[in-house]
Amino acid sequence: MFHGTITKELTSHEEWSHYNENIVEDQKDFVFVKYNGLHLKSMENLQSCISLRVCIFSNNFVTDIQPLQGCKKLIKLDLHGNQIKTLPDRTFWNGLKNLKLLYLHDNGFAKLKNICVLSGCVNLVGLTMFDCPVSLKKGYRHVLVNSIWPLKALDHHVISDEEIIQNWHLPERFKTFSQSLFFNICPAPIKGTTYEDEIKNIKHIISRINEILAHNSPVLIIQRWIRGFIVRKHLSPYFTRKRHHDRMIRVLETKLICIGRNNEDKFLEDIFLIKPESNIKGKVAHWKQMRYSPDDFKYSTEYRKHISCLSYELKTKDIAGNSKQPRHHIQKGLEGCVCSFHDA
């Protein structure tokens, strides 16, 4: 570091020029600059900051912002509380294609025509110009809203549909300056903020503006409904096809359940080894609990044959084992009852 008074001989020295070159090279990599309340009059030291993304140069005595022409990657530019009276031409703002937030309140702008050059900012989302002489003019807000097309928030309120569509009278919730559209897009600066904090703050502000518009803009609400209807209409064939598939499965299950009474006992006996004397309702309920998918239907014939063979073997064994003993033991006193039951 050099200390003391800087003379002409010192600034022309070789070491001094090397020092200046290093500073310029370092400034090319700057992405965040914060000069707040330092009473600066010029922004010439920012000419070489070509990578600058967030610039806070508020509460100073700046009158010309032309040196920022080379900072084409700016996302946020805070110039409030200065002495700026005129803005650069449209070419200057056309180069700032990434600029989303611009704070110009508490300056000396007086002409609406000069402010309209901001229409060159193709991605500008939020703008502040309150506490400027131009904000007191009639039609100030209407002119800016309809000149800067991508703008979504001006000063302390999100732009309503009533300001964009002429002679459209909306309910209180959607009117201009309504409480539902209020949002402070320029919160008070916090000391010690880093570049990451500023980027998070920018994302939060833009996200909040979009959220307010989504719930308080009739145009966006109608568009959301229409998009939902179109999506459902395009996807309806897939849903109807699925319902048809489910209905076909239910029909197949019903057909399998509704078997003739004559063949029902035999069929259920072969499949589930159920005796014909069992209750029919119980058999149907048991069948409903063991539903088969359409993929298993092709194996049903083989399965029935296999079960039939097993049931036949079991019946043969039962007959062979029980042939030596009488099948029913009827007591003498109940013989008449049994006979009457069979007669009935």
Side-chain angles (χ1 to χ4, degrees):
M1 282 295 291
F2 292 97
H3 300 276
T5 304
I6 302 176
T7 60
K8 185 177 181 180
E9 292 80 8
L10 183 60
T11 55
S12 61
H13 194 271
E14 182 179 356
E15 291 295 332
W16 180 262
S17 61
H18 179 68
Y19 175 74
N20 284 337
E21 290 176 0
N22 290 336
I23 292 178
V24 172
E25 289 297 325
D26 292 338
Q27 286 180 343
K28 289 181 180 180
D29 298 329
F30 287 176
V31 294
F32 175 43
V33 168
K34 186 175 182 180
Y35 295 129
N36 180 29
L38 299 179
H39 306 291
L40 301 176
K41 295 182 179 180
S42 175
M43 303 183 72
E44 293 182 357
N45 57 339
L46 300 180
Q47 286 182 347
S48 57
C49 300
I50 58 177
S51 300
L52 193 61
R53 294 178 181 271
V54 178
C55 179
I56 300 176
F57 218 94
S58 56
N59 297 321
N60 289 293
F61 298 102
V62 177
T63 57
D64 183 23
I65 63 173
Q66 193 67 37
L68 292 174
Q69 188 171 4
C71 306
K72 298 184 181 298
K73 296 183 179 181
L74 275 173
I75 300 175
K76 174 183 176 180
L77 180 58
D78 188 355
L79 297 172
H80 81 270
N82 283 281
Q83 297 180 359
I84 307 170
K85 295 183 179 180
T86 58
L87 292 175
D89 57 6
R90 189 186 177 93
T91 307
F92 175 89
W93 301 105
N94 284 336
L96 303 180
K97 298 185 182 299
N98 298 320
L99 187 62
K100 296 182 181 296
L101 297 179
L102 178 60
Y103 300 149
L104 295 174
H105 57 276
D106 195 15
N107 275 285
F109 304 109
K111 295 182 180 180
L112 269 175
K113 186 177 181 180
N114 178 241
I115 303 301
C116 290
V117 298
L118 294 175
S119 59
C121 295
V122 294
N123 288 308
L124 188 62
V125 175
L127 173 65
T128 60
M129 297 203 72
F130 59 90
D131 291 340
C132 295
V134 69
S135 63
L136 302 177
K137 290 193 173 184
K138 186 178 180 179
Y140 138 81
R141 190 175 175 91
H142 176 76
V143 171
L144 285 184
V145 167
N146 291 277
S147 298
I148 310 171
W149 289 1
L151 196 64
K152 296 180 180 179
L154 178 60
D155 294 338
H156 294 299
H157 288 84
V158 178
I159 297 172
S160 66
D161 292 346
E162 204 174 43
E163 298 178 87
I164 301 173
I165 303 173
Q166 192 173 5
N167 298 326
W168 192 17
H169 303 288
L170 298 173
E172 185 64 28
R173 171 188 167 186
F174 307 113
K175 282 187 174 295
T176 308
F177 300 121
S178 67
Q179 187 63 29
S180 58
L181 295 174
F182 175 82
F183 179 61
N184 183 18
I185 66 173
C186 55
I190 302 175
K191 292 183 178 181
T193 56
T194 61
Y195 172 71
E196 289 76 14
D197 296 335
E198 290 293 335
I199 293 296
K200 288 181 182 178
N201 187 34
I202 293 170
K203 291 180 178 179
H204 169 72
I205 291 174
I206 296 175
S207 176
R208 182 58 183 157
I209 291 172
N210 292 331
E211 183 181 356
I212 293 174
L213 281 175
H215 292 87
N216 298 281
S217 171
V219 173
L220 294 181
I221 294 173
I222 294 171
Q223 287 178 356
R224 186 167 64 250
W225 287 350
I226 294 174
R227 286 195 301 269
F229 171 76
I230 293 174
V231 170
R232 289 191 295 271
K233 184 177 180 181
H234 282 298
L235 295 179
S236 59
Y238 300 99
F239 293 114
T240 55
R241 187 179 305 170
K242 183 179 180 181
R243 287 198 297 269
H244 178 71
H245 182 67
D246 295 340
R247 184 168 54 190
M248 182 184 68
I249 294 175
R250 289 196 297 270
V251 169
L252 290 173
E253 291 172 352
T254 306
K255 286 182 178 179
L256 286 173
I257 293 171
C258 298
I259 305 171
R261 182 178 295 273
N262 297 330
N263 300 325
E264 184 184 12
D265 293 339
K266 180 63 178 173
F267 182 76
L268 293 175
E269 184 180 0
D270 292 342
I271 297 297
F272 302 112
L273 301 177
I274 299 176
K275 297 292 183 181
E277 293 82 6
S278 61
N279 191 2
I280 296 175
K281 293 183 179 180
K283 288 182 269 187
V284 174
H286 186 68
W287 173 255
K288 287 182 178 179
Q289 290 177 0
M290 299 181 65
R291 290 180 180 176
Y292 286 87
S293 62
D295 296 334
D296 297 332
F297 293 155
K298 58 185 178 180
Y299 303 108
S300 60
T301 305
E302 299 177 1
Y303 180 74
R304 288 172 57 189
K305 291 180 179 179
H306 180 66
I307 296 299
S308 300
C309 296
L310 293 176
S311 63
Y312 178 76
E313 293 178 1
L314 290 173
K315 288 180 180 178
T316 305
K317 292 181 180 179
D318 291 339
I319 292 172
N322 297 331
S323 60
K324 298 179 182 180
Q325 298 178 359
R327 187 171 183 178
H328 300 285
H329 297 278
I330 302 173
Q331 297 180 9
K332 294 180 179 180
L334 299 176
E335 184 176 358
C337 298
V338 173
C339 294
S340 63
F341 176 79
H342 285 291
D343 293 340

